[in-house]
Amino acid sequence: MANSEKRQEILNAALELITEHGFHGAPIAAIAQRAGVGAGTIYRYFATKDILIIELFQELHDKICEYLMEGYEEEQPFRTRFLHLSTALLRYFITNPQEFRYLEQYFNSPYGVEFRRDKILKSEGDGMPYRVLFEEGMRQQVVRDLPVVVLFALTFGPLLAVARDHILGFVDLDERLLVQTVEACWDSVKVCPMELAKKNVYPAAE
Amino acid sequence: MANSEKRQEILNAALELITEHGFHGAPIAAIAQRAGVGAGTIYRYFATKDILIIELFQELHDKICEYLMEGYEEEQPFRTRFLHLSTALLRYFITNPQEFRYLEQYFNSPYGVEFRRDKILKSEGDGMPYRVLFEEGMRQQVVRDLPVVVLFALTFGPLLAVARDHILGFVDLDERLLVQTVEACWDSVKVCPMELAKKNVYPAAE
DNA sequence: GGTCTCGGAGTGAACGTTCACTCCGCTATA
DNA sequence: TATAGCGGAGTGAACGTTCACTCCGAGACC
Protein backbone atom coordinates (compact mmCIF):
# COMPACT_ATOMS: atom_id res chain seq x y z
CA MET A 1 0.00 0.00 0.00
CA ALA A 2 1.40 3.34 -1.03
CA ASN A 3 1.83 6.22 1.38
CA SER A 4 -1.11 8.38 0.40
CA GLU A 5 -3.29 5.32 -0.05
CA LYS A 6 -2.81 4.52 3.61
CA ARG A 7 -3.80 8.03 4.60
CA GLN A 8 -6.98 7.73 2.57
CA GLU A 9 -7.78 4.35 4.08
CA ILE A 10 -7.52 5.86 7.55
CA LEU A 11 -9.84 8.74 6.59
CA ASN A 12 -12.35 6.31 5.08
CA ALA A 13 -12.32 4.11 8.14
CA ALA A 14 -12.76 7.13 10.40
CA LEU A 15 -15.68 8.37 8.29
CA GLU A 16 -17.42 5.01 8.48
CA LEU A 17 -16.93 4.41 12.18
CA ILE A 18 -17.68 7.94 13.33
CA THR A 19 -20.81 7.96 11.17
CA GLU A 20 -21.96 4.70 12.72
CA HIS A 21 -21.03 5.25 16.35
CA GLY A 22 -20.20 8.93 16.87
CA PHE A 23 -16.92 10.58 17.80
CA HIS A 24 -16.78 8.85 21.14
CA GLY A 25 -17.77 5.46 19.79
CA ALA A 26 -14.93 5.34 17.31
CA PRO A 27 -11.71 4.56 19.19
CA ILE A 28 -8.39 4.87 17.43
CA ALA A 29 -7.89 1.13 17.77
CA ALA A 30 -11.08 0.43 15.84
CA ILE A 31 -10.27 2.96 13.13
CA ALA A 32 -6.84 1.36 12.74
CA GLN A 33 -8.33 -2.10 12.47
CA ARG A 34 -10.89 -1.12 9.84
CA ALA A 35 -8.23 0.76 7.87
CA GLY A 36 -6.01 -2.32 8.01
CA VAL A 37 -3.13 -0.54 9.74
CA GLY A 38 -1.64 -0.48 13.20
CA ALA A 39 -2.81 2.01 15.78
CA GLY A 40 0.59 3.64 15.83
CA THR A 41 0.53 4.19 12.08
CA ILE A 42 -2.35 6.63 12.38
CA TYR A 43 -0.07 8.90 14.37
CA ARG A 44 2.37 9.02 11.50
CA TYR A 45 -0.31 10.79 9.44
CA PHE A 46 -2.29 12.71 12.09
CA ALA A 47 -0.76 14.20 15.22
CA THR A 48 -3.91 13.69 17.33
CA LYS A 49 -7.38 12.28 16.93
CA ASP A 50 -8.72 15.85 16.93
CA ILE A 51 -6.58 16.72 13.95
CA LEU A 52 -7.75 13.61 12.13
CA ILE A 53 -11.36 14.69 12.72
CA ILE A 54 -10.71 18.24 11.53
CA GLU A 55 -8.83 17.20 8.40
CA LEU A 56 -11.57 14.74 7.50
CA PHE A 57 -14.08 17.57 7.79
CA GLN A 58 -12.04 19.83 5.55
CA GLU A 59 -11.79 17.19 2.84
CA LEU A 60 -15.57 16.71 2.82
CA HIS A 61 -16.19 20.45 2.94
CA ASP A 62 -13.99 21.12 -0.07
CA LYS A 63 -15.62 18.28 -1.98
CA ILE A 64 -19.10 19.70 -1.39
CA CYS A 65 -18.13 23.26 -2.31
CA GLU A 66 -16.78 21.98 -5.59
CA TYR A 67 -19.98 20.03 -6.25
CA LEU A 68 -22.19 23.04 -5.50
CA MET A 69 -20.41 25.24 -8.00
CA GLU A 70 -20.86 22.82 -10.91
CA GLY A 71 -23.01 24.59 -13.47
CA TYR A 72 -23.50 27.63 -11.22
CA GLU A 73 -23.87 30.85 -13.20
CA GLU A 74 -23.59 34.29 -11.60
CA GLU A 75 -25.71 35.78 -14.40
CA GLN A 76 -28.88 33.83 -13.53
CA PRO A 77 -31.68 35.49 -11.50
CA PHE A 78 -31.56 35.18 -7.72
CA ARG A 79 -34.28 32.59 -7.47
CA THR A 80 -32.59 30.36 -10.04
CA ARG A 81 -29.25 30.63 -8.30
CA PHE A 82 -30.79 29.91 -4.91
CA LEU A 83 -32.61 26.87 -6.23
CA HIS A 84 -29.49 25.62 -7.98
CA LEU A 85 -27.33 25.80 -4.85
CA SER A 86 -29.96 24.46 -2.49
CA THR A 87 -31.20 21.56 -4.58
CA ALA A 88 -27.60 20.58 -5.30
CA LEU A 89 -26.80 20.68 -1.59
CA LEU A 90 -29.82 18.63 -0.64
CA ARG A 91 -29.23 16.16 -3.43
CA TYR A 92 -25.62 15.76 -2.37
CA PHE A 93 -26.64 15.04 1.19
CA ILE A 94 -29.21 12.39 0.40
CA THR A 95 -26.96 10.62 -2.07
CA ASN A 96 -24.02 10.71 0.38
CA PRO A 97 -25.71 10.00 3.69
CA GLN A 98 -22.49 8.94 5.37
CA GLU A 99 -20.81 12.24 4.63
CA PHE A 100 -23.92 14.10 5.73
CA ARG A 101 -24.05 12.32 9.06
CA TYR A 102 -20.41 13.12 9.64
CA LEU A 103 -20.86 16.81 8.84
CA GLU A 104 -23.94 16.96 11.03
CA GLN A 105 -22.02 15.58 13.99
CA TYR A 106 -19.15 17.92 13.29
CA PHE A 107 -21.35 21.02 13.21
CA ASN A 108 -23.18 19.98 16.35
CA SER A 109 -19.95 19.86 18.31
CA PRO A 110 -17.50 22.46 19.57
CA TYR A 111 -15.54 21.98 16.34
CA GLY A 112 -18.49 23.26 14.32
CA VAL A 113 -19.07 26.28 16.54
CA GLU A 114 -15.49 27.39 15.95
CA PHE A 115 -15.85 26.86 12.23
CA ARG A 116 -18.97 28.98 12.04
CA ARG A 117 -17.52 31.69 14.22
CA ASP A 118 -14.65 32.02 11.76
CA LYS A 119 -16.91 32.03 8.72
CA ILE A 120 -19.34 34.57 10.13
CA LEU A 121 -16.89 37.00 11.65
CA LYS A 122 -14.66 37.25 8.62
CA SER A 123 -17.09 39.06 6.37
CA GLU A 124 -15.38 38.35 3.07
CA GLY A 125 -17.57 36.56 0.56
CA ASP A 126 -14.73 34.45 -0.88
CA GLY A 127 -15.95 31.05 -1.82
CA MET A 128 -19.26 31.67 -0.11
CA PRO A 129 -21.80 31.84 -2.92
CA TYR A 130 -24.75 32.01 -0.53
CA ARG A 131 -23.39 35.07 1.22
CA VAL A 132 -22.85 36.90 -2.06
CA LEU A 133 -26.33 35.89 -3.21
CA PHE A 134 -28.00 37.19 -0.05
CA GLU A 135 -26.09 40.46 0.16
CA GLU A 136 -26.63 41.34 -3.46
CA GLY A 137 -30.26 40.19 -3.26
CA MET A 138 -30.94 42.47 -0.29
CA ARG A 139 -29.49 45.45 -2.13
CA GLN A 140 -31.89 44.80 -5.01
CA GLN A 141 -34.88 44.23 -2.70
CA VAL A 142 -35.32 40.64 -3.87
CA VAL A 143 -34.18 39.12 -0.58
CA ARG A 144 -35.61 40.18 2.78
CA ASP A 145 -33.69 42.77 4.74
CA LEU A 146 -32.55 40.49 7.57
CA PRO A 147 -29.13 39.73 9.06
CA VAL A 148 -27.24 37.28 6.88
CA VAL A 149 -27.08 34.89 9.83
CA VAL A 150 -30.88 34.74 9.91
CA LEU A 151 -31.06 34.15 6.15
CA PHE A 152 -28.59 31.30 6.63
CA ALA A 153 -30.80 29.86 9.36
CA LEU A 154 -33.89 30.10 7.14
CA THR A 155 -32.06 28.24 4.38
CA PHE A 156 -29.86 25.67 6.05
CA GLY A 157 -32.13 24.99 8.99
CA PRO A 158 -34.83 23.27 6.93
CA LEU A 159 -32.39 21.74 4.43
CA LEU A 160 -30.36 19.98 7.10
CA ALA A 161 -33.50 18.92 8.94
CA VAL A 162 -35.16 17.29 5.92
CA ALA A 163 -31.92 15.67 4.84
CA ARG A 164 -31.61 14.13 8.28
CA ASP A 165 -35.21 12.98 8.30
CA HIS A 166 -34.85 11.43 4.86
CA ILE A 167 -31.71 9.57 5.90
CA LEU A 168 -33.37 8.36 9.09
CA GLY A 169 -36.29 7.12 7.01
CA PHE A 170 -38.86 9.53 8.47
CA VAL A 171 -39.76 10.83 5.00
CA ASP A 172 -38.98 9.84 1.43
CA LEU A 173 -37.56 12.85 -0.38
CA ASP A 174 -38.08 12.14 -4.07
CA GLU A 175 -36.99 14.70 -6.64
CA ARG A 176 -40.39 16.40 -6.67
CA LEU A 177 -40.59 16.78 -2.89
CA LEU A 178 -36.98 17.90 -2.77
CA VAL A 179 -37.70 20.77 -5.16
CA GLN A 180 -40.89 21.70 -3.31
CA THR A 181 -38.95 21.91 -0.07
CA VAL A 182 -36.28 24.14 -1.56
CA GLU A 183 -38.95 26.37 -3.10
CA ALA A 184 -40.58 26.70 0.30
CA CYS A 185 -37.22 27.80 1.72
CA TRP A 186 -36.95 30.41 -0.99
CA ASP A 187 -40.36 31.77 -0.02
CA SER A 188 -39.06 32.44 3.47
CA VAL A 189 -36.01 34.25 2.15
CA LYS A 190 -37.44 36.25 -0.76
CA VAL A 191 -39.32 39.51 -0.51
CA CYS A 192 -42.87 38.61 -1.36
CA PRO A 193 -44.43 40.75 -4.11
CA MET A 194 -47.21 42.15 -1.93
CA GLU A 195 -44.75 43.39 0.68
CA LEU A 196 -42.61 44.99 -1.98
CA ALA A 197 -45.58 46.78 -3.54
CA LYS A 198 -46.66 48.08 -0.14
CA LYS A 199 -43.18 49.41 0.52
CA ASN A 200 -42.90 51.18 -2.79
CA VAL A 201 -46.37 52.73 -2.76
CA TYR A 202 -46.27 53.88 0.84
CA PRO A 203 -42.58 54.14 1.62
CA ALA A 204 -43.25 56.20 4.74
CA ALA A 205 -45.61 53.61 6.21
CA GLU A 206 -42.72 51.40 7.22
CA MET B 1 -31.99 18.93 52.66
CA ALA B 2 -35.26 17.14 51.91
CA ASN B 3 -35.48 14.13 49.66
CA SER B 4 -36.92 15.72 46.54
CA GLU B 5 -34.72 18.75 47.03
CA LYS B 6 -31.67 16.56 46.60
CA ARG B 7 -33.07 15.09 43.41
CA GLN B 8 -33.61 18.59 42.05
CA GLU B 9 -30.10 19.65 43.04
CA ILE B 10 -28.69 16.72 41.06
CA LEU B 11 -30.79 17.62 38.02
CA ASN B 12 -29.72 21.26 38.24
CA ALA B 13 -26.06 20.34 38.52
CA ALA B 14 -26.37 17.96 35.56
CA LEU B 15 -28.08 20.65 33.48
CA GLU B 16 -25.34 23.16 34.23
CA LEU B 17 -22.40 20.84 33.62
CA ILE B 18 -23.78 19.12 30.53
CA THR B 19 -24.67 22.50 29.05
CA GLU B 20 -21.15 23.73 29.67
CA HIS B 21 -19.12 20.68 28.72
CA GLY B 22 -21.36 18.22 26.89
CA PHE B 23 -22.53 14.77 27.89
CA HIS B 24 -19.02 13.38 27.86
CA GLY B 25 -17.50 16.33 29.65
CA ALA B 26 -19.79 16.02 32.67
CA PRO B 27 -18.61 13.05 34.75
CA ILE B 28 -20.79 11.79 37.55
CA ALA B 29 -18.12 12.85 40.03
CA ALA B 30 -18.37 16.45 38.85
CA ILE B 31 -22.17 16.44 38.88
CA ALA B 32 -22.10 15.08 42.42
CA GLN B 33 -19.64 17.73 43.55
CA ARG B 34 -21.66 20.60 42.08
CA ALA B 35 -24.88 19.19 43.56
CA GLY B 36 -23.19 18.95 46.95
CA VAL B 37 -23.79 15.21 47.31
CA GLY B 38 -21.67 12.09 47.15
CA ALA B 39 -21.23 10.27 43.87
CA GLY B 40 -23.05 7.25 45.20
CA THR B 41 -26.06 9.31 46.18
CA ILE B 42 -26.86 10.00 42.54
CA TYR B 43 -27.44 6.29 42.06
CA ARG B 44 -30.06 6.34 44.77
CA TYR B 45 -32.17 8.61 42.54
CA PHE B 46 -31.16 7.51 39.03
CA ALA B 47 -30.24 3.97 38.09
CA THR B 48 -27.68 5.02 35.46
CA LYS B 49 -26.27 8.19 33.96
CA ASP B 50 -28.37 7.54 30.85
CA ILE B 51 -31.55 7.56 32.90
CA LEU B 52 -30.53 10.79 34.59
CA ILE B 53 -30.05 12.36 31.16
CA ILE B 54 -33.40 11.11 29.89
CA GLU B 55 -35.36 12.22 32.96
CA LEU B 56 -33.78 15.65 32.82
CA PHE B 57 -34.93 15.93 29.21
CA GLN B 58 -38.47 14.94 30.08
CA GLU B 59 -38.69 17.57 32.81
CA LEU B 60 -37.58 20.31 30.42
CA HIS B 61 -39.85 19.03 27.66
CA ASP B 62 -42.92 19.13 29.87
CA LYS B 63 -42.03 22.61 31.10
CA ILE B 64 -41.83 23.95 27.54
CA CYS B 65 -45.06 22.31 26.42
CA GLU B 66 -46.83 23.97 29.29
CA TYR B 67 -45.31 27.35 28.42
CA LEU B 68 -46.30 27.07 24.75
CA MET B 69 -49.95 26.45 25.56
CA GLU B 70 -50.29 29.56 27.74
CA GLY B 71 -52.83 31.79 26.03
CA TYR B 72 -53.15 29.47 23.04
CA GLU B 73 -56.62 29.53 21.49
CA GLU B 74 -57.83 26.89 19.05
CA GLU B 75 -60.34 29.36 17.62
CA GLN B 76 -57.77 31.79 16.23
CA PRO B 77 -56.81 31.72 12.53
CA PHE B 78 -53.93 29.48 11.47
CA ARG B 79 -51.43 32.26 11.02
CA THR B 80 -52.14 33.66 14.48
CA ARG B 81 -51.82 30.25 16.09
CA PHE B 82 -48.59 29.52 14.23
CA LEU B 83 -47.10 32.85 15.26
CA HIS B 84 -48.20 32.34 18.86
CA LEU B 85 -46.55 28.94 19.19
CA SER B 86 -43.40 29.83 17.30
CA THR B 87 -42.69 33.17 18.90
CA ALA B 88 -43.34 31.61 22.31
CA LEU B 89 -40.93 28.80 21.53
CA LEU B 90 -38.22 31.11 20.28
CA ARG B 91 -38.70 33.48 23.19
CA TYR B 92 -38.47 30.60 25.64
CA PHE B 93 -35.23 29.42 24.10
CA ILE B 94 -33.45 32.74 24.13
CA THR B 95 -34.52 33.52 27.68
CA ASN B 96 -33.50 30.04 28.86
CA PRO B 97 -30.28 29.46 26.95
CA GLN B 98 -29.10 26.76 29.30
CA GLU B 99 -32.18 24.65 28.74
CA PHE B 100 -31.98 25.25 25.01
CA ARG B 101 -28.39 24.07 24.83
CA TYR B 102 -29.29 20.95 26.73
CA LEU B 103 -32.23 20.14 24.47
CA GLU B 104 -30.09 20.80 21.41
CA GLN B 105 -27.48 18.31 22.56
CA TYR B 106 -30.16 15.82 23.44
CA PHE B 107 -31.82 16.01 20.04
CA ASN B 108 -28.49 15.75 18.26
CA SER B 109 -27.73 12.46 19.94
CA PRO B 110 -29.10 8.93 19.66
CA TYR B 111 -31.51 9.81 22.50
CA GLY B 112 -33.15 12.44 20.31
CA VAL B 113 -33.46 10.18 17.29
CA GLU B 114 -35.40 7.68 19.37
CA PHE B 115 -37.62 10.41 20.74
CA ARG B 116 -38.47 11.70 17.29
CA ARG B 117 -39.05 8.23 15.92
CA ASP B 118 -41.65 7.68 18.63
CA LYS B 119 -43.32 11.04 18.09
CA ILE B 120 -43.48 10.69 14.31
CA LEU B 121 -44.56 7.09 14.07
CA LYS B 122 -47.40 7.35 16.56
CA SER B 123 -49.64 9.58 14.48
CA GLU B 124 -51.90 10.78 17.28
CA GLY B 125 -52.02 14.52 17.69
CA ASP B 126 -52.24 14.37 21.47
CA GLY B 127 -50.38 17.24 23.03
CA MET B 128 -48.85 18.15 19.69
CA PRO B 129 -50.43 21.49 18.77
CA TYR B 130 -48.18 21.93 15.72
CA ARG B 131 -49.28 18.64 14.21
CA VAL B 132 -52.96 19.47 14.63
CA LEU B 133 -52.34 22.93 13.18
CA PHE B 134 -50.59 21.57 10.09
CA GLU B 135 -53.02 18.77 9.39
CA GLU B 136 -56.08 20.97 9.74
CA GLY B 137 -54.37 23.76 7.78
CA MET B 138 -53.64 21.42 4.89
CA ARG B 139 -57.24 20.30 4.72
CA GLN B 140 -58.34 23.94 4.44
CA GLN B 141 -55.64 24.74 1.83
CA VAL B 142 -53.99 27.30 4.12
CA VAL B 143 -50.90 25.20 4.70
CA ARG B 144 -48.89 23.65 1.84
CA ASP B 145 -49.64 20.07 0.98
CA LEU B 146 -46.36 18.56 2.16
CA PRO B 147 -45.54 15.69 4.54
CA VAL B 148 -45.86 16.82 8.14
CA VAL B 149 -42.22 15.94 8.67
CA VAL B 150 -41.23 18.49 6.03
CA LEU B 151 -43.47 21.14 7.59
CA PHE B 152 -41.76 20.45 10.91
CA ALA B 153 -38.40 20.86 9.25
CA LEU B 154 -39.45 24.17 7.68
CA THR B 155 -40.58 25.43 11.09
CA PHE B 156 -38.15 24.05 13.63
CA GLY B 157 -35.11 24.07 11.40
CA PRO B 158 -34.85 27.86 11.25
CA LEU B 159 -36.13 28.41 14.79
CA LEU B 160 -33.50 26.18 16.36
CA ALA B 161 -30.80 27.62 14.12
CA VAL B 162 -31.51 31.25 14.99
CA ALA B 163 -31.91 30.46 18.68
CA ARG B 164 -28.49 28.81 18.63
CA ASP B 165 -26.92 31.70 16.75
CA HIS B 166 -28.42 34.21 19.16
CA ILE B 167 -27.12 32.30 22.16
CA LEU B 168 -23.67 31.98 20.61
CA GLY B 169 -23.69 35.73 20.00
CA PHE B 170 -23.68 35.53 16.21
CA VAL B 171 -26.82 37.67 15.99
CA ASP B 172 -28.88 39.77 18.38
CA LEU B 173 -32.49 38.60 18.20
CA ASP B 174 -34.52 41.51 19.55
CA GLU B 175 -38.31 41.27 19.67
CA ARG B 176 -38.72 42.81 16.22
CA LEU B 177 -36.23 40.48 14.53
CA LEU B 178 -37.69 37.51 16.37
CA VAL B 179 -41.14 38.21 14.96
CA GLN B 180 -39.75 38.82 11.47
CA THR B 181 -38.01 35.45 11.59
CA VAL B 182 -41.14 33.62 12.66
CA GLU B 183 -43.14 35.39 9.95
CA ALA B 184 -40.58 34.25 7.38
CA CYS B 185 -41.05 30.69 8.60
CA TRP B 186 -44.76 31.03 8.16
CA ASP B 187 -44.24 32.15 4.56
CA SER B 188 -42.48 28.85 3.86
CA VAL B 189 -45.32 26.85 5.39
CA LYS B 190 -48.40 28.71 4.19
CA VAL B 191 -49.98 28.41 0.77
CA CYS B 192 -49.16 31.68 -0.93
CA PRO B 193 -52.20 33.46 -2.40
CA MET B 194 -50.93 33.36 -5.98
CA GLU B 195 -50.45 29.61 -5.88
CA LEU B 196 -53.89 29.12 -4.44
CA ALA B 197 -55.49 31.27 -7.14
CA LYS B 198 -53.68 29.36 -9.86
CA LYS B 199 -54.81 26.06 -8.40
CA ASN B 200 -58.44 27.14 -8.22
CA VAL B 201 -58.62 28.66 -11.67
CA TYR B 202 -56.81 25.84 -13.45
CA PRO B 203 -57.31 22.89 -11.16
CA ALA B 204 -56.28 20.47 -13.93
CA ALA B 205 -52.96 22.21 -14.54
CA GLU B 206 -51.51 20.74 -11.38
C1' DG C 1 -37.38 11.68 80.00
C1' DG C 2 -33.33 9.22 79.03
C1' DT C 3 -30.99 5.53 76.67
C1' DC C 4 -30.53 1.98 73.34
C1' DT C 5 -31.43 -0.16 68.84
C1' DC C 6 -32.11 -0.24 64.24
C1' DG C 7 -33.18 0.88 59.29
C1' DG C 8 -31.91 3.09 55.51
C1' DA C 9 -30.14 7.30 53.19
C1' DG C 10 -25.63 9.05 52.20
C1' DT C 11 -20.74 8.52 51.21
C1' DG C 12 -16.35 8.24 48.51
C1' DA C 13 -12.43 5.15 47.87
C1' DA C 14 -11.76 1.38 44.95
C1' DC C 15 -12.62 -1.41 40.79
C1' DG C 16 -12.72 -2.83 36.16
C1' DT C 17 -12.97 -0.98 31.75
C1' DT C 18 -11.89 1.99 28.02
C1' DC C 19 -9.45 5.32 25.82
C1' DA C 20 -5.70 8.26 23.30
C1' DC C 21 -1.27 7.98 22.75
C1' DT C 22 3.83 6.01 22.99
C1' DC C 23 7.69 3.22 22.13
C1' DC C 24 10.57 -0.15 20.54
C1' DG C 25 11.36 -4.26 17.92
C1' DC C 26 10.32 -5.99 13.32
C1' DT C 27 10.19 -6.08 8.36
C1' DA C 28 10.56 -4.78 3.65
C1' DT C 29 13.43 -2.58 0.47
C1' DA C 30 17.60 -0.98 -1.63
C1' DT D 1 23.64 -4.57 6.00
C1' DA D 2 21.55 -0.12 6.76
C1' DT D 3 17.47 2.47 6.95
C1' DA D 4 12.87 4.06 7.04
C1' DG D 5 8.25 2.92 7.80
C1' DC D 6 5.17 0.23 10.38
C1' DG D 7 2.70 -2.51 14.07
C1' DG D 8 0.48 -3.45 18.28
C1' DA D 9 1.40 -4.43 23.17
C1' DG D 10 1.98 -1.28 26.73
C1' DT D 11 0.90 3.01 29.68
C1' DG D 12 -1.35 6.12 32.51
C1' DA D 13 -5.36 8.83 32.93
C1' DA D 14 -10.27 9.10 33.21
C1' DC D 15 -14.58 7.16 33.32
C1' DG D 16 -19.19 4.94 35.25
C1' DT D 17 -20.45 2.14 38.71
C1' DT D 18 -20.19 -0.45 43.18
C1' DC D 19 -20.10 -1.51 48.01
C1' DA D 20 -18.55 -1.60 52.68
C1' DC D 21 -19.11 1.63 55.71
C1' DT D 22 -20.91 6.04 58.42
C1' DC D 23 -24.34 8.64 60.34
C1' DC D 24 -28.66 10.16 62.08
C1' DG D 25 -33.40 10.32 63.45
C1' DA D 26 -37.29 7.59 64.84
C1' DG D 27 -39.22 4.42 67.60
C1' DA D 28 -38.70 0.70 71.69
C1' DC D 29 -37.75 -0.07 76.20
C1' DC D 30 -36.62 1.01 80.98
Side-chain angles (χ1 to χ4, degrees):
Chain A
M1 212 186 313
N3 237 5
S4 62
E5 240 180 285
K6 211 156 257 187
R7 195 189 121 95
Q8 206 53 50
E9 279 302 315
I10 294 168
L11 286 172
N12 284 344
L15 175 62
E16 287 174 28
L17 282 170
I18 291 175
T19 297
E20 284 168 34
H21 306 114
F23 289 131
H24 296 277
I28 288 286
I31 294 174
Q33 195 184 12
R34 177 151 327 187
V37 303
T41 308
I42 290 180
Y43 290 88
R44 300 198 58 78
Y45 295 92
F46 307 97
T48 66
K49 193 186 180 185
D50 268 21
I51 288 176
L52 164 60
I53 289 170
I54 292 167
E55 292 201 8
L56 177 52
F57 165 76
Q58 273 159 356
E59 294 227 344
L60 299 181
H61 181 261
D62 292 349
K63 222 175 105 184
I64 289 184
C65 281
E66 204 182 326
Y67 179 82
L68 283 194
M69 298 314 285
E70 267 175 36
Y72 184 74
E73 291 169 17
E74 293 279 359
E75 304 77 31
Q76 296 282 330
F78 289 106
R79 185 170 188 276
T80 309
R81 282 195 272 166
F82 182 90
L83 294 186
H84 172 99
L85 289 175
S86 301
T87 54
L89 187 61
L90 202 41
R91 221 175 277 127
Y92 186 91
F93 283 153
I94 69 182
T95 52
N96 299 278
Q98 214 166 53
E99 301 189 11
F100 172 77
R101 302 266 298 186
Y102 183 86
L103 293 171
E104 201 190 5
Q105 280 192 62
Y106 190 89
F107 278 115
N108 291 321
S109 73
Y111 302 119
V113 174
E114 270 321 294
F115 175 80
R116 291 176 51 253
R117 191 187 306 278
D118 289 351
K119 282 281 170 188
I120 287 167
L121 293 190
K122 73 163 71 158
S123 54
E124 298 137 29
D126 305 342
M128 287 235 52
Y130 271 108
R131 177 188 286 276
V132 174
L133 192 71
F134 288 150
E135 284 174 351
E136 206 188 324
M138 279 194 286
R139 250 177 277 127
Q140 301 190 20
Q141 294 200 328
V142 178
V143 169
R144 290 174 204 233
D145 185 26
L146 294 170
V148 182
V149 176
V150 173
L151 295 174
F152 277 137
L154 289 169
T155 305
F156 295 118
L159 294 189
L160 298 181
V162 291
R164 185 195 54 200
D165 287 344
H166 172 88
I167 289 167
L168 290 174
F170 295 160
V171 66
D172 176 37
L173 259 204
D174 55 18
E175 183 63 21
R176 179 184 144 82
L177 189 51
L178 184 149
V179 171
Q180 282 183 312
T181 305
V182 173
E183 283 173 347
C185 283
W186 171 250
D187 286 346
S188 72
V189 162
K190 74 159 193 237
V191 171
C192 92
M194 281 167 57
E195 279 300 315
L196 189 59
K198 206 168 64 184
K199 256 192 186 168
N200 288 342
V201 176
Y202 312 108
E206 199 63 4
Chain B
M1 210 184 315
N3 234 6
S4 61
E5 238 181 285
K6 209 157 259 190
R7 196 188 120 95
Q8 207 52 53
E9 278 302 314
I10 293 168
L11 286 172
N12 285 343
L15 176 62
E16 288 173 27
L17 281 171
I18 292 175
T19 297
E20 283 169 34
H21 305 114
F23 289 129
H24 295 277
I28 288 284
I31 294 173
Q33 193 183 12
R34 177 151 327 185
V37 304
T41 307
I42 291 180
Y43 290 88
R44 300 199 60 79
Y45 293 92
F46 307 97
T48 65
K49 194 186 178 184
D50 267 21
I51 289 176
L52 164 60
I53 289 171
I54 291 168
E55 291 201 7
L56 178 51
F57 165 76
Q58 273 159 357
E59 295 228 342
L60 300 181
H61 181 260
D62 293 350
K63 223 175 105 186
I64 289 184
C65 281
E66 204 183 325
Y67 179 83
L68 283 194
M69 297 314 287
E70 269 176 35
Y72 183 74
E73 292 169 16
E74 292 277 359
E75 304 77 31
Q76 296 282 330
F78 289 105
R79 184 169 188 276
T80 307
R81 283 195 272 165
F82 182 90
L83 295 186
H84 172 100
L85 289 176
S86 302
T87 54
L89 187 62
L90 202 41
R91 221 176 276 124
Y92 186 91
F93 283 153
I94 69 182
T95 51
N96 299 278
Q98 215 166 55
E99 302 189 11
F100 172 77
R101 302 266 297 182
Y102 183 85
L103 293 171
E104 201 191 5
Q105 278 191 63
Y106 190 88
F107 279 115
N108 291 320
S109 73
Y111 302 119
V113 174
E114 270 321 292
F115 175 80
R116 291 176 51 253
R117 192 187 305 279
D118 290 351
K119 282 279 170 189
I120 287 169
L121 293 190
K122 73 163 72 155
S123 54
E124 297 137 31
D126 304 343
M128 287 235 50
Y130 271 109
R131 177 189 286 278
V132 175
L133 192 71
F134 288 149
E135 283 172 353
E136 207 188 323
M138 278 195 287
R139 251 177 276 127
Q140 301 189 21
Q141 293 200 328
V142 177
V143 168
R144 291 173 204 232
D145 185 26
L146 294 171
V148 182
V149 177
V150 174
L151 295 174
F152 278 137
L154 288 169
T155 305
F156 295 118
L159 293 188
L160 298 180
V162 291
R164 185 195 55 198
D165 287 345
H166 172 88
I167 289 166
L168 290 175
F170 294 159
V171 66
D172 177 37
L173 260 203
D174 56 17
E175 183 62 23
R176 178 184 145 81
L177 189 50
L178 185 149
V179 171
Q180 282 182 312
T181 303
V182 173
E183 284 172 345
C185 284
W186 171 250
D187 286 344
S188 72
V189 162
K190 75 158 191 238
V191 172
C192 90
M194 281 167 57
E195 279 301 314
L196 189 58
K198 206 167 62 182
K199 257 192 188 167
N200 289 342
V201 175
Y202 313 108
E206 198 63 5

